[in-house]
Amino acid sequence: MLYVKTMKAATLSILLLGVVSCATTKHADDNKEHSDLTTTQAEKCKSCGTIHRYSATFDRMDYSLIADFCDAFSLKRQAFWKAPHGPTPACSSNYDSDLCWDYLHEQMPELRRDTYDSFKRRNSPIPTHLGNEDLAAEYGITIVQGSTYAYRLSRAGFSGKQQQALIYSGSGVIHLFQRKDNKWQQIDSCVLWIS
């Protein structure tokens, strides 16, 4: 009798272990896309030696905005695989030091603080489109190494309810968009530098 109870307990333990293992595998699969998106790689600039960290962090919200951005300016739906390092042309520039809340809010009074904070957070490290070609294609966007039509678009920062977005075009201009009638429309912009 003791042997039967021990065998039942062992069988039950094995079954429970299998259930936990399956659940763990499913949870890992659910988070696979997220973990791939946050993997970073480092690259050293050949000119100045600055170490840049890159991450494939564009998501559906980014691509939705990028598609509407391209349409708003009659651009081909193309984007560079690597986003700009910062809003100024210097290699060592970055969003943390180059974008000042006070200045941007003065230039674009409708800019919300949570949109600005989201932009700063989502652009560290430098985002790339690497590994997201299929996701970009769902929005009609082609990822290219270089083109006269492609912009080095940053990730977008979004307000809490995702009705406002801030995106840097890589050409010295930062753009403020508002969600209207299920589409992103530019409501303001700010020139950060001119070449």
Side-chain angles (χ1 to χ4, degrees), residues 97-108:
S97 60
D98 293 340
L99 282 181
C100 171
W101 160 254
D102 293 332
Y103 174 74
L104 286 181
H105 190 252
E106 180 183 318
Q107 299 300 311
M108 299 183 292

Side-chain angles (χ1 to χ4, degrees), residues 49-73:
T50 303
I51 302 293
H52 300 301
R53 290 186 309 120
Y54 294 92
S55 179
T57 51
F58 286 80
D59 60 20
R60 290 184 184 282
M61 289 298 296
D62 289 310
Y63 287 124
S64 169
L65 178 61
I66 289 170
D68 288 345
F69 175 93
C70 291
D71 293 349
F73 296 101

Side-chain angles (χ1 to χ4, degrees), residues 12-144:
L12 183 59
S13 295
I14 291 170
L15 286 173
L16 284 173
L17 184 60
V19 168
V20 169
S21 175
C22 289
T24 304
T25 303
K26 180 173 181 352
H27 183 67
D29 289 343
D30 290 343
N31 287 326
K32 184 178 184 301
E33 183 179 0
H34 178 71
S35 63
D36 289 346
L37 295 179
T38 55
T39 302
T40 60
Q41 60 185 18
E43 186 176 281
K44 188 174 186 176
C45 175
K46 293 175 184 174
S47 307
C48 68
T50 303
I51 302 293
H52 300 301
R53 290 186 309 120
Y54 294 92
S55 179
T57 51
F58 286 80
D59 60 20
R60 290 184 184 282
M61 289 298 296
D62 289 310
Y63 287 124
S64 169
L65 178 61
I66 289 170
D68 288 345
F69 175 93
C70 291
D71 293 349
F73 296 101
S74 302
L75 301 170
K76 285 187 177 181
R77 285 190 179 183
Q78 292 182 334
F80 278 106
W81 74 275
K82 196 180 284 187
H85 187 242
T88 62
C91 183
S92 60
S93 65
N94 60 59
Y95 293 112
D96 287 336
S97 60
D98 293 340
L99 282 181
C100 171
W101 160 254
D102 293 332
Y103 174 74
L104 286 181
H105 190 252
E106 180 183 318
Q107 299 300 311
M108 299 183 292
E110 290 186 62
L111 175 63
R112 294 171 44 118
R113 183 65 195 232
D114 57 340
T115 306
Y116 169 83
D117 290 341
S118 170
F119 177 87
K120 296 280 290 271
R121 185 176 63 254
R122 287 165 59 92
N123 282 286
S124 179
I126 305 160
T128 73
H129 299 272
L130 189 63
N132 289 280
E133 291 89 348
D134 292 339
L135 184 57
E138 288 181 31
Y139 295 88
I141 298 166
T142 305
I143 307 306
V144 295

Side-chain angles (χ1 to χ4, degrees), residues 162-175:
Q162 297 181 336
Q163 293 301 303
Q164 187 182 83
L166 188 67
I167 188 168
Y168 175 64
S169 69
S171 62
V173 181
I174 193 159
H175 305 265

